Amino acid sequence: MIRYKIVNFLRDAFPFIAVIVLWRLSLSFWNPAGILAIIPIFYCSFVKPVPWFTPFAMTFCFLIDYRFDTLFYWTIMYCLFYAINGFQTFFDITRIDKNALHVFMVFFGISTLILSLLHINIENIIRAIWLFAWVSTLYIPITALIKKVYDDR
């Protein structure tokens, strides 16, 4: 009985743990400022909403901003997309196939493009292209893992 409760608790806590781990595993080339944490933040906020995840997601967007030395940029982008998603009635993100990869690519692509255009030079453009390609590639395995652990009850 206790083992069952512990396993259920860990399954419920997995999206939160995934964000913390991905944010902490920050490396300058592979995961700058813990940006990979944006994947579970997006997935657990918009595609498969997790109860009480929004304040947690906003906090970690702020922490990504802190490490990136951007002043509330990712937090504002998250809140803006959260507001747009709240007002939309045209399509339902929770029912889109491939864990809404295309919607994530639009969100992350626009955010990365705006960030790279603030100080435009060839190095920032190449870094933005690499970051977009890398994060978009890792979106499917990370969301599949979250889906498998969190939804497997």
Side-chain angles (χ1 to χ4, degrees), residues 2-90:
I2 291 202
R3 181 175 178 230
Y4 178 74
K5 286 183 179 182
I6 291 172
V7 169
N8 276 342
F9 172 76
L10 290 175
R11 283 185 180 149
D12 290 340
F14 187 75
F16 299 93
I17 293 169
V19 170
I20 293 169
V21 167
L22 287 172
W23 180 74
R24 287 291 295 157
L25 292 177
S26 153
L27 299 168
S28 62
F29 184 73
W30 299 106
N31 187 12
I35 194 63
L36 288 178
I38 206 78
I39 295 171
I41 287 172
F42 180 87
Y43 182 75
C44 296
S45 294
F46 304 116
V47 182
K48 296 285 182 191
V50 173
W52 296 99
F53 197 79
T54 303
F56 182 80
M58 288 177 60
T59 302
F60 270 86
C61 284
F62 175 75
L63 291 174
I64 290 170
D65 283 329
Y66 175 74
R67 281 202 175 158
F68 253 129
D69 287 333
T70 53
L71 187 62
F72 295 110
Y73 180 75
W74 289 103
T75 309
I76 290 170
M77 293 307 285
Y78 173 80
C79 291
L80 181 67
F81 195 80
Y82 193 84
I84 291 169
N85 185 47
F87 287 122
Q88 64 86 17
T89 57
F90 183 66

Side-chain angles (χ1 to χ4, degrees), residues 91-112:
F91 61 93
D92 187 10
I93 294 178
T94 61
R95 298 182 191 269
I96 297 177
D97 61 339
K98 296 182 186 175
N99 296 334
L101 173 64
H102 295 84
V103 178
F104 175 76
M105 289 173 72
V106 168
F107 163 72
F108 193 74
I110 291 172
S111 301
T112 307

